[in-house]
Amino acid sequence: MQRKVSTKCSTCNERTVALVTIPYDTLIFHDGKHYDIHVPDLMTPKCANCGQLYFDQESSEQVNRALRAKVGLMQPDEIRQTRETLNLEPQAIAEMLCIPISIYASWEEGGFLPLRSQDRLLRLVLERPEVRQQLREMHARELTLAG
């Protein structure tokens, strides 16, 4: 599938926007720290006339993948594949972590970056059966107390 890009630049009003592959460096603030991010081959819309960059979903995902790698966070496909290997439903993980399913789903889809502390807890849940069991028991007790 080919990416659709508007060719009109909103900065200079010329019809010179096209997809380009460029090295891209930026500073991103995440979880209380600044990170220098380098994407050697960012594919993004750019105006040939004024140089304005436009970040669409695909180019934003490239930058987010680079940020996750720099910070040491799990990548979305890694989260999903690990969960599927364990035969767990997204809702089960969300309940263990006491977070809305929409937040957990956004981690798997790449739409939201977890904090480092959330990533660490997620890794424990996915890597250690005894942690999953203890969290399930805690969740069951909470349901009993609430109900």
Side-chain angles (χ1 to χ4, degrees):
M1 187 169 102
Q2 196 165 17
R3 280 165 70 174
K4 297 206 181 231
V5 176
S6 173
T7 59
K8 186 173 182 181
C9 177
S10 63
T11 301
C12 70
N13 291 321
E14 296 294 322
R15 294 201 173 276
T16 55
V17 175
L19 276 177
V20 296
T21 301
I22 57 170
Y24 179 73
D25 294 290
T26 188
L27 183 67
I28 298 178
F29 187 77
H30 175 71
D31 198 8
K33 292 178 71 176
H34 285 94
Y35 295 93
D36 287 312
I37 304 301
H38 176 70
V39 182
D41 55 354
L42 180 70
M43 181 180 273
T44 192
K46 180 180 179 180
C47 178
N49 184 55
C50 71
Q52 178 68 43
L53 294 177
Y54 293 91
F55 288 86
D56 58 7
Q57 182 174 346
E58 289 88 348
S59 54
S60 294
E61 286 174 2
Q62 279 185 273
V63 173
N64 280 339
R65 279 193 303 274
L67 175 60
R68 284 176 183 266
K70 181 81 172 198
V71 176
L73 302 175
M74 294 179 77
Q75 296 290 344
D77 56 337
E78 180 184 6
I79 296 169
R80 186 188 71 259
Q81 288 169 359
T82 304
R83 177 189 54 77
E84 289 173 350
T85 299
L86 295 169
N87 292 316
L88 294 169
E89 293 297 321
Q91 182 67 41
I93 301 285
E95 287 173 358
M96 285 182 230
L97 298 172
C98 295
I99 59 173
I101 182 62
S102 59
I103 296 292
Y104 176 78
S106 70
W107 294 350
E108 280 196 7
E109 295 162 5
F112 182 77
L113 274 73
L115 301 175
R116 289 172 294 164
S117 59
Q118 293 168 325
D119 182 82
R120 285 182 180 176
L121 182 56
L122 177 60
R123 286 174 191 272
L124 285 172
V125 167
L126 295 175
E127 293 172 6
R128 300 194 178 240
E130 66 275 15
V131 171
R132 290 192 297 276
Q133 183 59 37
Q134 187 170 8
L135 290 173
R136 282 186 189 112
E137 291 169 6
M138 291 170 73
H139 181 68
R141 276 195 305 271
E142 289 168 358
L143 290 177
T144 302
L145 292 173

